[in-house]
Amino acid sequence: MDALADLDRRISGCRACPRLVEWREDVARTKRAAFADWTYWGRPVPGFGPADARMLIVGLAPAAHGGNRTGRMFTGDRSGDVLYQALYDIGLASQPTAVTADDGLELYGVRVTSPVHCAPPANKPTPGERDTCRPWLVQELDLLRPTLRSVVVLGAFGWQAALPAFAEAGWSVPRPRPVFGHGARVPLDGLELFGCFHVSQRNTFTGKLTPGMLREVLSTAAEAAGLRGGSGENVAARPPYDD
């Protein structure tokens, strides 16, 4: 726990990508009218969830007025509304909403992170920014490795960023590298890797990703990780792991 907490602190102080530093801090100063009374986080957003997680969810990057505002992954934006509702529905989150970093939300056996920790302009990090941020994900994977059993990657960008990170963290990644697809499943040395369309508004508003599709992938990954909740039963008040 101390090692992961230290990693999160170091991530929060990173200033390696000038374009991202300028953007995230400018957004934090100018704000959005609806959040004019907020003090924005305005820094890199670390992962969220327990240090002994058996399941990891990998996104893309924090949203300018979501995680960049609240300081917690997938908190304060529409993508997070969809993701945390689904985790709650299958019993892996204590509540269906994520509004602020101190709203009491707990994840059971699940951690959420991203390959890029700063909010990027137009939600599009450059390949160079992705690669610069990769060592943080490699270190996080290394710390989670003793308990980690499944990973859900949201979207093609996250998939392309995650595979090299897994290789650098010591997993054997097949060559040629597996192609991203919704429902894709790839075994990696005792770890099951799953692909899922991203929970972006573009995907959820158009029906490309429905709540049922998301729950199905998360449930399958939860079962692969040995987590309760894979059946769809809400067990948020119970111990998170199978006996």
Side-chain angles (χ1 to χ4, degrees):
M1 178 63 76
D2 289 343
L4 192 60
D6 179 66
L7 176 66
D8 290 344
R9 283 192 296 269
R10 289 189 289 117
I11 288 173
S12 298
C14 183
R15 300 182 66 83
C17 299
R19 187 183 78 115
L20 298 186
V21 171
E22 181 180 7
W23 170 257
R24 78 190 190 211
E25 293 180 353
D26 182 63
V27 168
R29 285 191 299 269
T30 58
K31 308 180 183 181
R32 178 176 283 173
F35 307 119
D37 59 342
W38 275 74
T39 299
Y40 274 51
W41 173 257
R43 292 187 279 163
V45 181
F48 169 56
D52 61 349
R54 297 175 67 92
M55 176 174 158
L56 181 67
I57 298 172
V58 180
L60 190 162
H65 302 282
N68 189 55
R69 170 172 57 92
T70 63
R72 192 173 71 189
M73 283 286 172
F74 282 104
T75 297
D77 61 49
R78 295 290 182 88
S79 296
D81 292 344
V82 174
L83 177 62
Y84 289 122
Q85 177 71 63
L87 288 171
Y88 176 78
D89 288 343
I90 65 170
L92 299 181
S94 63
Q95 61 193 44
T97 57
V99 181
T100 65
D102 59 355
D103 59 10
L105 173 65
E106 293 182 65
L107 300 183
Y108 301 126
V110 180
R111 185 170 170 86
V112 182
T113 192
S114 66
V116 176
H117 287 275
C118 291
N123 293 320
K124 293 181 179 179
T126 67
E129 290 162 350
R130 175 200 63 198
D131 294 345
T132 298
C133 210
R134 182 182 300 144
W136 295 125
L137 181 56
V138 172
Q139 292 177 64
E140 189 169 14
L141 289 171
D142 185 60
L143 291 172
L144 293 172
R145 185 162 190 154
T147 57
L148 193 62
R149 297 295 178 267
S150 73
V151 178
V152 176
V153 181
L154 303 175
F157 181 95
W159 186 268
Q160 293 164 1
L163 290 178
F166 279 107
E168 288 186 30
W171 275 276
S172 295
V173 177
R175 289 189 175 276
R177 286 178 178 167
V179 177
F180 172 78
H182 182 81
R185 181 171 184 171
V186 180
L188 299 177
D189 298 337
L191 182 75
E192 295 291 321
L193 180 67
F194 296 85
C196 179
F197 290 143
H198 196 280
V199 288
S200 66
Q201 291 187 53
R202 180 175 60 184
N203 288 342
T204 57
F205 283 9
T206 61
K208 182 177 182 178
L209 178 68
T210 66
M213 291 167 64
L214 178 60
R215 285 194 301 269
E216 182 177 7
V217 173
L218 293 176
S219 295
T220 304
E223 290 175 338
L227 287 167
R228 289 176 176 166
S231 67
E233 178 189 7
N234 189 329
V235 292
R238 304 180 189 175
Y241 303 130
D242 286 329
D243 295 332

